[in-house]
């Protein structure tokens, strides 16, 4: 009996040792999640980014906070549970970097590899110098034993590292991740991470002095990463074809893709490499534009942002123990490391920015962003502690405290700087009339159904310009959120589709839109990023405007509320679509265009890149909106599939005193209306003269002038060219009240299109071409309150 009791006690002890770490880890993660969400509610109004709040939650849970209570410390901090935490950290790191790779604008990184590399090298080199200078002092003051070279490597990794996951989330939370400064900071942090990972490999394989072994390991590293990238390419394309008629991939297929990632990551870890950069490369090289990538983004984004990030960052904060800094020597070392870190980042980054001619204030912000820590540096200290590379617990305690406190200090400072420097990194409105067509174009197209998708994509393709000119297109699917319907059915009597969540809104439209997007990407090689907004029509305009501001859109293109029937006539759609368009025109933070689609899918603006030539006309009457339309059309004229013609209307009173634009080699048939306001007249003349010298004189764009007496003549001239062009582009308001459009508003039906746009969209104007009506950004109207929004 006594023996049986002893066996049961031993078994109970084994069970306690087996399950207690899992239980304590689960409780720790749960409490970190709860505390981080509470702090997020409290600190979000103060503008604090979520990673800083999550690190703070773990910090409060750890030995610096609640774990100073004896019972809490005994439950959470156990000697035999560190392996569990490190394994979970590996799982989290791998999937986080894979998602960052999926979300990264890789073409931007490649276009800007030089400035990003210079900034990363400058900050890393500065920190390397500072770390080398303080290593001897730290070694002496922490009473360390072992190799001072190994300590120097760990300090260099700690100071030089720029935690890319934190940089990415901070930039996104503070709404400047799509700005030039934000994208440059993210790209530079990824390159700095690569430098730290390389040093981490040296640290973990320091005992192996064989150069041949190192070369062999690096060969295996790139071989494994390359093989996984190729497997993903073929597997993703096969899965896309297999699920052709489905919205997304199944859970089993997603599991297979993620399993391949983890198998590769574990293999690299066994070789002594960190899988951080490999996971990023696998994610960034994953085939875009298909159901596989789309499903991965949807399936991974929510759990990673809401669960994995808080736990991963919170666990870093949990490890910091500032009570160890009570010792004067430890505090001195801590202070030196903090100052060395920011000193190295500021000196190195500002030197790089000076070389790149980046403004000083942006350089300071970049240096602070590059000083955010809590990624590769934590891993380096973990490896050093596990392998006893430096025999000093004081050293590890001080280093971890330095990493966490450094981020908790500079995170809020970055948030303050972003608010203060909103004039240089905030959303800058673009006026196409003065915009260089060879700079990046960010276009947000919106659709309510699959019907106008092909036309929108055709417009995106035509706006692409030469291959070397960057364009970042977005397509936003606007889905009406219906009100609650009263029903007499019991809960268990309802059909399954009545219980669908937000992801199911849009029905089969989602499949058709996704298929059109995938076909467009495969034919043109241009990736269009998709956004989905589900809201009632009363608030839909706010989603469009907020998204335009978040992505820093240059222009928003909206679909007309009417659609073409089989007989060619335009039929009214939902009134909510028209109301949304009107509100977006009033409140949009950028230029807005409304596209009246008359079946461009039948051959006009063919997105497939065929050799068919499309004829597009710009109707120029003068005024800011017409100048904006003219500026937007610059990119269209650079497409060799587009034959662009400017048709300028002039009043008959100007006959014989035509504008100073040289049109001797063009037809005598044409001209445009000149505004009464002298400033507008001079501006129109200057813009047209510049456009003429750049594009018309070189033969890229055609130029025609029409002399008319009144609105009736203008309407007649427009009817004469009805079948000549597949797309008409015109400004919304033109010159306002002009003799050229007198009488055209007598039958006005859609004032949001302006006089000419409304005439082109009217049933009386029977054309086969589509119409794009452009309105320039108007800050005065954007600031007005709208009664409908109350």
């Amino acid at each position: 009996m006594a023996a049986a009791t002893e066996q049961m006690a031993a078994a109970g002890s084994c069970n306690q040792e087996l399950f207690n770490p899992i239980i304590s880890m689960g409780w720790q993660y749960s409490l970190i999640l709860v505390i981080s969400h509470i702090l997020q509610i409290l600190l979000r109004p103060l503008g604090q980014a979520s990673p800083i709040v999550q690190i703070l939650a773990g910090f409060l849970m750890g030995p610096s906070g609640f774990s100073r209570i004896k019972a809490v410390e005994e439950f959470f901090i156990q000697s035999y549970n560190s392996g569990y935490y490190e394994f979970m950290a590996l799982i989290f790191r791998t999937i986080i970097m894979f998602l960052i790779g999926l979300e990264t604008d890789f073409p931007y990184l490649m276009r800007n590899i030089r400035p990003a590399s210079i900034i990363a090298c400058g900050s890393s080199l500065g920190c390397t110098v500072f770390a080398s200078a303080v290593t001897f002092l730290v070694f002496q003051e922490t009473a360390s034993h072992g190799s001072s070279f190994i300590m120097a490597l760990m300090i260099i990794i700690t100071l030089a590292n720029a935690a890319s996951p934190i940089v990415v989330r901070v930039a996104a939370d503070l709404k400047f991740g799509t700005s030039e400064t934000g994208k440059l900071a993210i790209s530079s942090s990824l390159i700095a991470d690569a430098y730290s990972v390389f040093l981490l490999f040296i640290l973990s394989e320091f005992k192996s002095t064989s150069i041949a072994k190192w070369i062999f390991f690096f060969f295996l590293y790139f071989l494994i990463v390359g093989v996984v990238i190729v497997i993903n390419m073929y597997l993703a394309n096969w899965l896309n074809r297999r699920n052709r008629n489905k919205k997304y991939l199944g859970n089993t297929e997603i599991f297979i893709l993620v399993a391949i990632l983890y198998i590769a990551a574990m293999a690299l870890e066994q070789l002594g490499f960190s899988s951080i950069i490999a996971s990023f490369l696998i994610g960034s090289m994953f085939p875009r534009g298909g159901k596989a990538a789309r499903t991965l983004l949807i399936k991974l984004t929510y759990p990673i942002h809401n669960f994995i990030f808080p736990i991963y960052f919170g666990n870093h904060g949990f490890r910091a123990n500032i009570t160890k800094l009570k010792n004067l020597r430890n505090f001195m070392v801590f202070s030196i490391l903090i100052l060395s870190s920011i000193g190295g980042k500021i000196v190195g980054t500002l030197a790089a920015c000076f070389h790149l001619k980046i403004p000083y204030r942006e350089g300071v912000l970049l240096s602070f962003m590059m000083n955010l820590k809590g990624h590769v540096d934590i891993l380096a200290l973990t490896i050093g502690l596990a392998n006893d590379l430096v025999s000093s617990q004081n050293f590890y305690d001080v280093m971890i405290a330095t990493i966490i406190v450094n981020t908790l200090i500079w995170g809020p400072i970055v948030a303050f700087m972003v608010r203060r420097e909103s004039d240089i990194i905030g959303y800058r409105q673009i006026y196409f009339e003065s915009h260089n067509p060879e700079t990046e174009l960010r276009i947000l197209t919106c659709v309510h159904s699959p019907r106008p998708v092909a036309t929108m994509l055709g417009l995106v393709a035509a706006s692409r310009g030469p291959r070397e000119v960057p364009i970042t297109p977005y397509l936003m699917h606007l889905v009406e959120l219906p009100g609650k319907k009263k029903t007499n059915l019991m809960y268990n009597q309802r059909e399954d589709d009545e219980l669908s969540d937000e992801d199911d809104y849009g029905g089969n439209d989602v499949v058709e839109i996704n298929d059109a997007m995938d076909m467009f990407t495969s034919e043109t090689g241009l990736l269009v990023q998709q956004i989905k907004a589900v809201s009632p029509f009363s608030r839909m305009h706010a989603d469009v405007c907020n998204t335009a501001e978040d992505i820093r859109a240059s222009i928003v293109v909206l679909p007309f509320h009417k659609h073409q029937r089989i007989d060619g006539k335009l039929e009214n759609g939902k009134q909510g679509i028209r109301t949304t368009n009107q509100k977006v025109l009033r409140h949009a933070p950028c230029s807005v265009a409304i596209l009246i689609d008359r079946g461009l899918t039948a051959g006009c603006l063919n997105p497939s890149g065929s050799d068919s030539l499309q004829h597009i006309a710009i109707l120029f009457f003068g005024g800011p909106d017409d100048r904006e339309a003219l500026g937007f059309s610059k990119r269209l004229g650079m497409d060799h599939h587009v034959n662009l013609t400017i048709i300028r209307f002039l009043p008959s009173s100007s006959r014989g005193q035509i504008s100073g634009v040289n049109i001797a080699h063009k037809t005598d048939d044409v001209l445009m209306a000149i505004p009464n306001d002298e400033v507008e007249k001079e501006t129109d003349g200057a813009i047209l003269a510049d456009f003429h010298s750049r594009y018309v004189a070189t033969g890229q764009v055609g130029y025609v002038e029409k002399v008319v007496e009144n609105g009736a003549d203008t309407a007649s001239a427009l009817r004469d060219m009805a079948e000549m062009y597949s797309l008409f582009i015109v400004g919304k308001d033109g010159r306002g009240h002009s003799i050229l459009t007198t009488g055209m508003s007598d039958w006005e039906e859609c004032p949001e299109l302006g006089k000419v746009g409304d005439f082109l969209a009217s049933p009386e104007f029977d054309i086969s071409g589509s119409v794009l009506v452009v309105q320039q950004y108007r800050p005065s109207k954007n600031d007005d309150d709208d009664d409908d929004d109350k």
Side-chain angles (χ1 to χ4, degrees), residues 654-713:
S654 62
R655 193 186 302 271
Q657 46 178 338
I658 305 294
S659 68
V661 178
N662 180 14
I663 56 170
H665 60 292
K666 294 291 174 182
T667 60
D668 323 322
D669 183 29
V670 178
L671 204 50
M672 135 179 177
I674 298 183
N676 296 325
D677 184 86
E678 290 299 322
V679 175
E680 287 293 323
K681 179 179 177 180
E682 291 178 5
T683 305
D684 289 343
I687 293 295
L688 275 173
D690 180 71
F691 190 93
H692 189 280
S693 63
R694 288 173 179 266
Y695 304 101
V696 177
T698 58
Q700 289 181 267
V701 178
Y703 185 89
V704 180
E705 294 181 345
K706 293 285 185 182
V707 179
V708 295
E709 294 186 359
N710 49 40
D713 280 358

Side-chain angles (χ1 to χ4, degrees), residues 33-62:
L33 281 172
V34 171
I35 295 175
S36 66
H37 285 301
I38 292 174
L39 291 177
Q40 193 75 23
I41 295 172
L42 298 176
L43 298 180
R44 176 63 68 98
L46 301 179
Q48 296 308 310
S50 56
I52 309 305
V53 175
Q54 291 154 4
I55 291 174
L56 179 60
F59 183 78
L60 294 177
M61 275 288 301

Side-chain angles (χ1 to χ4, degrees), residues 371-389:
N371 196 39
L372 297 176
K373 305 186 183 302
H375 190 39
V376 183
D377 40 14
I378 294 287
L379 180 58
L381 294 175
T382 301
I383 292 174
L385 183 61
N387 298 328
D388 199 24
L389 298 179

Side-chain angles (χ1 to χ4, degrees), residues 453-486:
V453 170
T455 304
M456 291 290 186
L457 294 179
L459 183 62
V460 167
S463 305
R464 184 178 188 175
R467 295 277 179 177
E468 64 275 6
V469 178
I471 179 173
T472 306
Y474 296 82
L475 187 137
M476 189 174 187
H477 184 195
L478 302 174
V479 183
E480 180 190 6
L481 178 64
K484 293 183 179 179
K485 297 179 180 179
K486 294 183 179 180

Side-chain angles (χ1 to χ4, degrees), residues 375-450:
H375 190 39
V376 183
D377 40 14
I378 294 287
L379 180 58
L381 294 175
T382 301
I383 292 174
L385 183 61
N387 298 328
D388 199 24
L389 298 179
V390 175
S391 300
S392 173
Q393 187 62 42
N394 271 349
F395 171 72
Y396 294 108
D397 291 338
V398 172
M399 292 298 290
I400 292 176
T402 300
I403 292 169
I404 300 306
V405 174
N406 175 85
T407 302
L408 291 177
I409 290 173
W410 295 107
I413 292 176
V414 167
F416 170 77
M417 285 196 64
V418 169
R419 290 194 300 271
R420 194 190 70 175
E421 305 294 345
S422 59
D423 58 324
I424 60 173
I425 63 173
Y427 181 40
R428 300 176 184 174
Q429 288 76 22
I430 291 176
Y431 293 95
F432 282 102
E433 65 177 68
S434 57
H435 182 62
N436 182 359
E438 296 185 357
T439 57
E440 183 182 22
L441 172 67
R442 306 181 72 87
I443 180 171
L444 174 63
T445 58
C446 302
V447 296
H448 296 269
S449 66

